[in-house]
Amino acid sequence: QIYYNFVFFMSGKKAKKGVRLEGDAENLLAQFYTAEMHSYLEPSEAAPSGAFYTYAPSQRIPIENYLNEEDLSEEATSIESGGSSIEEVSVEPDGELSKCRRMFSFLPCCGPKDKESKSTGSTFGTWDGVFASCLLNIFGVIMFLRLGSVVGQAGVFQASTIIIFSSVITTVTTLSMSAICTNGQMGGGGAYFLISRALGPQFGGSIGILFSIGNSVAVSLYIIGFSETLADILVNSVGFSIVAIDEGARPTWDIVIYGLIAVFILLIMALIGVGWVVKMQLLLLVLLFITIISVFVGAFIPVGEITNTTDFVGFSNPYDNQSTIVHNLKSSTSDESFGTQISAFFTTFALFFPAVTGIMAGTNISGDLKNPAESIPKGTLSAISFSTVVYVLLSIVIGSVCVKEIPGMVSSEGDPGLLWDYYILTKVSLSGALIYTGIFAATLSSALASLVGAPRIFQAVCKDKIFDNRFFNFFAVGKGEGNEPVRGYFLTFAIACSCILIGDLNVIAPLISMFFMLTYALINFSCFAASTGNTPGWRPRFKYYNRWVSLIGTFLCIFAMFLINWWNALIAVFVLSLIFGIIWKNDPDVSWGPAGDAYEVNSTLKTLLHLRKNEVHVKNYRPHFLVVTLESVEDNLNLIKSIASIRSAAKSLMIVANILEGDFVDRLHDYTEAAGEEYFISEKIKSHLINVIAPSFSSGVRMVTQSTGIGKMSPNSVVVPYLENWRELDDEEKNGIVGIIRDSFRLQNAVMLCRRFDNLDFTQKKIEGRIDVWWLVDDGGYTLLMPYLLRKKKLFNHCSLRVITVPGTNSSPHQTIMMTKLLKEFRIDAEVDIAVADENQLTDDDIAGYLEAADLHPSEEHIDRVSLNC
């Protein structure tokens, strides 16, 4: 079957819907000429002003990234005309493929989900899978233990500004993330999947490793926060300690023991299944909501007896009988210099910003979502909006009922006041126990989300074989229907336990935040790069993004990194660069259509158009080679490698055209089976390869010399293997061979007949010897240029160069001097030698005959002469 589409030019109107017809070769032209275009339009619409038909074989656009073999077999069935419209696809039941969806299955937006996503039992949606996970990570320990300090240092106004500014960064990142994840099918791996498919395996693999390590270490950070709070409660309230400590000392071993027990329990929960994890997170989210509500309600309950150490005083400040919020509107450094105020602002920003870096929690489990493209944008943006409102309201409420510090008291950490008391929310809340419950819920939920997310990201990296070795392949294997990364769970558990045993992660914690920030920066840059690439495949369903906003988001993330800790930011960038370099060197064999490919295409097209204006000059002349072979590229591999060495030295174009003699239909199978550019890539030959079917070798060469190349990037040197058996050819074949040379000259191309290249051994580290150049006629230096370029390569640079010419009318010494001067003008170091005249010496008539052979009809005498001179 041959399918074709047609498009109407409607002069301002649009067709009712697209129609796809089918036909065979016999009636195809009849359909083309007799189709009544206006019969597909509404009666009231005018006839179209024109139309164009597009003919293409089935599956013309690569779709292997969107369909599996099972889906491809479905697509191979015949499609009846008059199928559903594109608009009807969006309302069909999930999992069913309408005729129209199959019709447009080669498009990223219409392709069915891959086989893995169908079989993994994805059951989570926007609110339970994304919204809840993000909120639980955003409402963390910073809200309970550091928000009061942020308000105390920055004041209510600046604290609200910091919260909003932080939310702007995360919102811009989410918009970029939403655009990427709605442009085609979203697979597992979260941020790694987004970045790798947009920027390629180098950036994606680097971020995948850093983000999975960051989440693994983050498990220990959250668990230590949980353990410290639990140990403080037990030591200070109950006086219980597992390991005896001195009064006032930090219960370090208690923290380690509680942490190891907690992370083991979380591991068991993760092994039970991600479904159990999500249900547990919903329960913890309810506890968080109750805790937050208790703070708002407790702020409006009248304060009891106020002493000279009371910091929770209510809306009226008893120390000066004014409104409490009036004193808390300004920052603690409002009376200092402007530079001091700016420094204090960014210091406070660095303290708060890690609180809002949990926006990737829903994306990390993208493989377990019913519809990631819909759930991730909605759930993440909703979580950011809701959390921003809650944080701003909490900062206002805290600043309205608590004082920064007790007047006249020399305070330090742990003393009353917003600036010093990290547990001040326990006084504002209806019950201090609820705040501790909120801290436990926040830390455990964040640890659980990281414990579930890190193995999934790492598994996605391993499955893509970016690092193709035993270690990574081991962790690529999943278990069960949901392909659970069980092995990754134990790896994350081991990393978390190792960090917990350290006990104090104040040095590592800021570095982990840098890894997160780098991820957000690259997500923004991915969106910018993809949208700037202007590829037809960039059609995200999420429209509320802007490439320039994404670029600004990239700089904001980098700016925030260096504000938080500049030297940790430098370390993070160095580690990213190191992993990037390793992946670049490994050169993984993947093809995801990253934005870099689009930039290369765009840049190439612009350069080709610009080259139209440039005239070839002797200073910028480069030999562009067209190497023609007959039937087999492999049999001429040494020749191709030699010309590739010259091409490399000249930084020029090289195309190998393999001619397949015979009838087009008869040789079509051989054409499809012939070696392609993949063969050159495997042989590390930097050249392009095309196969051409032609009635004869000479006619095939004529085809490619006329049509190969584009614009100024077209071959100007034709390289033809020397036929050792030319004497056995008939006259027609001999005429064809000489015709190749003559026609190449007429097309203003140089010709190189290459002989005995099979004797070269390219496995050697160097080839020693001498390159002799027999310069018979003045060709402008082309003949001298080839050995000069060849000697620039390491393999041939130990060879000497000798130029041999034949005596002319001048004496030999005088001709030697003239030739030496000419070589000096050419800036080529070579020995000059004049051939000794004997009975076999070429005469002027021989040389003239060589020149005549290019323009005269070939004869056997001419062929002998050309052979002798070449």
Side-chain angles (χ1 to χ4, degrees):
Q1 299 292 319
I2 300 176
Y3 301 96
Y4 67 91
N5 305 295
F6 58 89
V7 179
F8 296 139
F9 294 102
M10 290 304 300
S11 300
K13 297 184 178 181
K14 294 188 296 184
K16 180 180 179 181
K17 63 181 179 180
V19 180
R20 184 175 185 174
L21 305 179
E22 64 181 77
D24 53 30
E26 295 179 359
N27 64 13
L28 187 61
L29 289 178
Q31 291 189 47
F32 181 86
Y33 287 112
T34 62
E36 294 289 341
M37 294 182 294
H38 62 270
S39 64
Y40 300 104
L41 310 180
E42 294 289 350
S44 59
E45 293 183 325
S49 56
F52 64 83
Y53 293 71
T54 59
Y55 296 79
S58 180
Q59 312 294 352
R60 186 65 184 88
I61 299 178
I63 62 174
E64 61 272 11
N65 291 333
Y66 302 103
L67 299 175
N68 53 53
E69 294 180 0
E70 185 178 307
D71 296 319
L72 289 174
S73 63
E74 295 179 8
E75 299 303 318
T77 60
S78 177
I79 309 299
E80 298 181 0
S81 62
S84 304
S85 65
I86 296 178
E87 288 78 9
E88 293 172 339
V89 175
S90 60
V91 297
E92 64 183 0
D94 185 59
E96 297 181 6
L97 296 176
S98 68
K99 295 176 182 178
C100 187
R101 178 179 283 276
R102 291 200 303 267
M103 182 187 305
F104 293 95
S105 60
F106 58 84
L107 300 177
C109 61
C110 298
K113 296 181 180 179
D114 55 44
K115 189 173 182 179
E116 181 181 333
S117 65
K118 291 179 181 178
S119 62
T120 54
S122 303
T123 57
F124 307 116
T126 301
W127 308 111
D128 56 350
V130 180
F131 180 78
S133 298
C134 290
L135 271 189
L136 284 168
N137 278 265
I138 295 173
F139 289 154
V141 290
I142 290 180
M143 180 178 69
F144 294 104
L145 299 181
R146 293 295 184 270
L147 185 59
S149 180
V150 169
V151 174
Q153 293 180 32
V156 173
F157 178 76
Q158 287 190 13
S160 300
T161 303
I162 289 172
I163 294 169
I164 294 173
F165 179 52
S166 302
S167 298
V168 167
I169 295 177
T170 56
T171 300
V172 171
T173 303
T174 303
L175 294 178
S176 302
M177 178 177 65
S178 301
I180 298 173
C181 71
T182 57
N183 187 59
Q185 296 296 330
M186 176 71 182
Y192 158 73
F193 182 89
L194 298 178
I195 295 174
S196 62
R197 269 53 178 181
L199 295 182
Q202 290 79 18
F203 278 111
S206 304
I207 285 299
I209 295 297
L210 292 182
F211 204 53
S212 55
I213 292 175
N215 275 278
S216 299
V217 177
V219 174
S220 61
L221 293 176
Y222 298 131
I223 290 297
I224 288 177
F226 163 81
S227 303
E228 282 185 344
T229 304
L230 179 61
D232 288 343
I233 293 174
L234 293 177
V235 170
N236 297 329
S237 301
V238 185
F240 173 78
S241 175
I242 299 177
V243 178
I245 59 173
D246 297 332
E247 185 177 353
R250 185 171 182 264
T252 303
W253 282 108
D254 284 19
I255 293 173
V256 170
I257 295 171
Y258 296 147
L260 293 176
I261 294 173
V263 76
F264 179 76
I265 294 173
L266 294 183
L267 173 66
I268 299 300
M269 294 172 61
L271 291 174
I272 294 174
V274 70
W276 169 256
V277 171
V278 172
K279 292 177 182 178
M280 187 66 185
Q281 285 184 332
L282 292 176
L283 175 61
L284 295 174
L285 184 61
V286 171
L287 291 176
L288 276 177
F289 282 160
I290 294 174
T291 303
I292 294 171
I293 292 172
S294 73
V295 174
F296 285 114
V297 175
F300 290 90
I301 295 179
V303 181
E305 182 181 356
I306 297 178
T307 65
N308 57 359
T309 60
T310 302
D311 47 9
F312 172 41
V313 297
F315 293 96
S316 178
N317 189 345
Y319 299 108
D320 57 9
N321 297 321
Q322 292 185 2
S323 176
T324 306
I325 196 172
V326 172
H327 291 275
N328 292 334
L329 282 176
K330 297 181 180 181
S331 68
S332 299
T333 59
S334 58
D335 297 331
E336 304 291 336
S337 64
F338 179 75
T340 303
Q341 294 182 47
I342 293 296
S343 176
F345 176 84
F346 287 125
T347 301
T348 310
F349 170 81
L351 175 64
F352 173 79
F353 187 78
V356 298
T357 56
I359 60 172
M360 301 299 298
T363 310
N364 290 344
I365 59 170
S366 56
D368 299 289
L369 300 175
K370 293 178 184 177
N371 189 352
E374 178 182 351
S375 298
I376 290 175
K378 287 183 179 179
T380 309
L381 288 173
S382 298
I384 292 174
S385 302
F386 182 79
S387 62
T388 301
V389 172
V390 171
Y391 268 118
V392 171
L393 291 178
L394 271 177
S395 64
I396 294 174
V397 168
I398 295 172
S400 300
V401 297
C402 298
V403 295
K404 292 183 180 180
E405 56 186 349
I406 305 300
M409 177 182 290
V410 179
S411 302
S412 60
E413 184 176 331
D415 289 334
L418 289 171
L419 289 172
W420 311 106
D421 189 359
Y422 293 154
Y423 291 95
I424 196 169
L425 285 185
T426 59
K427 304 172 185 177
V428 181
S429 173
L430 286 175
S431 171
L434 283 175
I435 297 298
Y436 290 118
T437 302
I439 294 173
F440 295 152
T443 52
L444 292 177
S445 62
S446 298
L448 190 57
S450 297
L451 181 61
V452 171
R456 280 167 165 73
I457 299 170
F458 190 65
Q459 183 189 37
V461 176
C462 298
K463 286 175 66 177
D464 286 336
K465 295 188 180 299
I466 292 180
F467 302 91
D468 194 8
N469 57 49
R470 288 185 177 181
F471 175 80
F472 288 94
N473 293 339
F474 177 80
F475 290 100
V477 179
K479 183 179 180 181
E481 182 182 0
N483 197 32
E484 292 286 331
V486 175
R487 297 175 180 178
Y489 285 146
F490 283 100
L491 177 62
T492 303
F493 172 76
I495 294 175
C497 288
S498 301
C499 294
I500 290 172
L501 288 172
I502 296 175
D504 187 2
L505 300 180
N506 290 334
V507 177
I508 301 177
L511 183 60
I512 301 306
S513 297
M514 298 300 106
F515 291 167
F516 291 159
M517 293 303 301
L518 274 177
T519 303
Y520 303 154
L522 285 179
I523 287 176
N524 282 300
F525 186 73
S526 298
C527 181
F528 169 77
S531 56
T532 307
N534 293 323
T535 59
W538 175 252
R539 300 183 303 277
R541 290 197 294 270
F542 185 84
K543 303 299 182 182
Y544 305 102
Y545 74 96
N546 181 278
R547 59 180 178 177
W548 301 114
V549 173
S550 297
L551 183 62
I552 293 173
T554 303
F555 290 118
L556 285 177
C557 290
I558 297 174
F559 178 65
M561 284 175 57
F562 284 89
L563 282 181
I564 294 173
N565 192 306
W566 66 268
W567 59 271
N568 271 319
L570 290 177
I571 294 175
V573 172
F574 173 77
V575 174
L576 175 71
S577 303
L578 182 63
I579 300 176
F580 181 96
I582 294 173
I583 300 175
W584 184 277
K585 184 178 180 180
N586 291 341
D587 191 21
D589 185 17
V590 296
S591 179
W592 295 324
D597 292 355
Y599 275 100
E600 290 180 359
V601 172
N602 292 342
S603 176
T604 302
L605 293 175
K606 289 180 181 178
T607 303
L608 286 173
L609 291 174
H610 180 73
L611 285 175
R612 294 180 303 172
K613 307 174 184 178
N614 296 352
E615 295 296 332
V616 178
H617 190 273
V618 65
K619 292 181 179 179
N620 56 28
Y621 173 82
R622 299 171 189 265
H624 299 304
F625 299 101
L626 172 63
V627 183
V628 291
T629 61
L630 178 62
E631 296 295 338
S632 175
V633 174
E634 293 86 345
D635 293 343
N636 296 277
L637 191 59
N638 272 13
L639 166 61
I640 293 171
K641 287 184 176 180
S642 299
I643 303 301
S645 297
I646 301 176
R647 180 223 67 81
S648 177
K651 305 300 180 185
S652 58
L653 173 70
M654 176 177 169
I655 300 174
V656 177
N658 185 40
I659 310 299
L660 304 175
E661 288 185 324
D663 179 72
F664 180 80
V665 176
D666 294 340
R667 298 302 305 272
L668 193 58
H669 176 73
D670 297 330
Y671 174 86
T672 57
E673 295 295 325
E677 293 202 353
E678 296 80 6
Y679 175 72
F680 278 3
I681 294 173
S682 64
E683 292 290 335
K684 298 182 179 180
I685 298 174
K686 295 182 179 180
S687 171
H688 301 283
L689 172 61
I690 59 173
N691 293 289
V692 178
I693 301 175
S696 65
F697 179 64
S698 58
S699 63
V701 176
R702 290 189 184 95
M703 290 181 189
V704 295
T705 52
Q706 294 178 77
S707 59
T708 304
I710 178 171
K712 294 297 177 67
M713 294 301 294
S714 299
N716 53 28
S717 302
V718 180
V719 181
V720 184
Y722 183 85
L723 297 180
E724 300 289 348
N725 64 338
W726 67 270
R727 295 181 184 277
E728 302 172 5
L729 303 178
D730 56 33
D731 289 344
E732 182 179 354
E733 291 173 323
K734 292 177 182 177
N735 289 339
I737 299 302
V738 176
I740 291 173
I741 302 174
R742 182 185 63 247
D743 294 340
S744 297
F745 286 164
R746 289 173 174 172
L747 292 172
Q748 302 298 308
N749 290 325
V751 180
M752 296 173 63
L753 284 177
C754 299
R755 188 178 188 183
R756 296 177 181 173
F757 276 84
D758 291 340
N759 298 331
L760 290 175
D761 184 6
F762 280 88
T763 62
Q764 302 180 63
K765 292 185 178 180
K766 63 180 180 179
I767 295 177
E768 296 182 349
R770 185 181 66 230
I771 300 175
D772 284 346
V773 179
W774 287 78
W775 200 14
L776 307 181
V777 295
D778 185 4
D779 58 0
Y782 183 88
T783 306
L784 292 172
L785 181 62
M786 295 303 109
Y788 166 76
L789 293 173
L790 194 63
R791 290 177 65 209
K792 290 183 68 175
K793 302 304 294 181
K794 185 177 180 180
L795 184 63
F796 297 96
N797 63 7
H798 296 277
C799 297
S800 61
L801 179 61
R802 182 175 65 169
V803 178
I804 305 173
T805 186
V806 295
T809 57
N810 295 321
S811 63
S812 295
H814 179 71
Q815 192 168 358
T816 302
I817 294 173
M818 294 295 293
M819 181 60 65
T820 303
K821 288 183 177 180
L822 183 61
L823 291 176
K824 187 176 181 180
E825 291 293 329
F826 285 159
R827 300 171 303 282
I828 294 177
D829 296 326
E831 175 188 351
V832 178
D833 199 358
I834 306 299
V836 179
D838 56 25
E839 58 181 4
N840 296 323
Q841 178 63 52
L842 294 175
T843 66
D844 291 342
D845 290 338
D846 292 323
I847 298 173
Y850 167 78
L851 298 176
E852 269 184 53
D855 295 316
L856 295 179
H857 293 290
S859 63
E860 187 168 351
E861 179 184 358
H862 287 142
I863 294 175
D864 284 338
R865 191 168 295 163
V866 170
S867 172
L868 178 61
N869 283 277
C870 292

